[in-house]
């Protein structure tokens, strides 16, 4: 658990992706549009590349459950130092949706794709 501050989030992410035993990093919270929600802009600055399909599909699934309020989510994913980083909302319902429909079904595939060598 880290403070909702850019420096703390960036330091925790750098620590996580620097570990040899980590292939996938999940964050929760800070994906809304309130001024205090700094997780997404912080992570986006650190992404080497983005995985735009994650946010797109998450919002589509959310829309089916909660309607137009789904546009308020900035859930996103990308790669940092060859590791998959996924920013999930803090809402328990949204977390359950993301984990069950996207993250858990694709975690192994995501990790294996990042481990492939050219």
């Amino acid at each position: 658990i880290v403070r909702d501050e850019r420096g703390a989030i960036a330091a925790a992410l750098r620590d996580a992706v620097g570990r040899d035993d980590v292939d996938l990093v999940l964050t929760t919270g800070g994906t809304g549009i309130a001024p205090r929600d700094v997780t997404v802009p912080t992570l986006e600055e650190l992404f080497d590349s983005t995985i735009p399909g994650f946010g797109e599909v998450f919002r589509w699934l959310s829309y089916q459950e909660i309607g137009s309020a789904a546009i308020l989510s900035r859930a996103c994913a990308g790669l940092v130092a060859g590791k998959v980083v996924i920013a999930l909302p803090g809402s328990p319902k949204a977390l359950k949706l993301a984990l069950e429909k996207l993250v858990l079904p694709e975690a192994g595939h995501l990790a294996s794709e990042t481990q492939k060598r050219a």
Side-chain angles (χ1 to χ4, degrees):
I1 297 175
V2 300
R3 298 174 70 83
D4 198 8
E5 297 172 354
R6 286 178 178 262
I9 294 166
L13 179 63
R14 285 188 196 101
D15 181 54
V17 298
R19 295 176 51 121
D20 290 336
D21 60 343
V22 170
D23 295 315
L24 176 74
V25 177
L26 301 176
T27 70
T28 61
T31 63
I33 62 169
R36 71 181 181 282
D37 294 325
V38 298
T39 300
V40 171
T42 302
L43 296 181
E44 287 177 339
E45 289 175 3
L46 298 171
F47 285 164
D48 298 321
S49 63
T50 62
I51 306 171
F54 176 82
E56 295 164 358
V57 174
F58 174 75
R59 282 180 286 280
W60 176 76
L61 291 168
S62 294
Y63 179 78
Q64 293 177 343
E65 289 195 6
I66 64 170
S68 60
I71 68 169
L72 299 174
S73 174
R74 294 186 295 166
C76 65
L79 298 175
V80 177
K83 310 288 177 81
V84 177
V85 178
I86 301 175
L88 302 170
S91 154
K93 281 186 174 183
L95 277 172
K96 183 176 192 251
L97 175 69
L99 288 171
E100 289 179 354
K101 298 289 185 176
L102 297 172
V103 177
L104 294 175
E106 287 300 316
H109 187 208
L110 285 164
S112 70
E113 285 297 308
T114 62
Q115 294 170 3
K116 288 183 179 178
R117 303 287 181 226

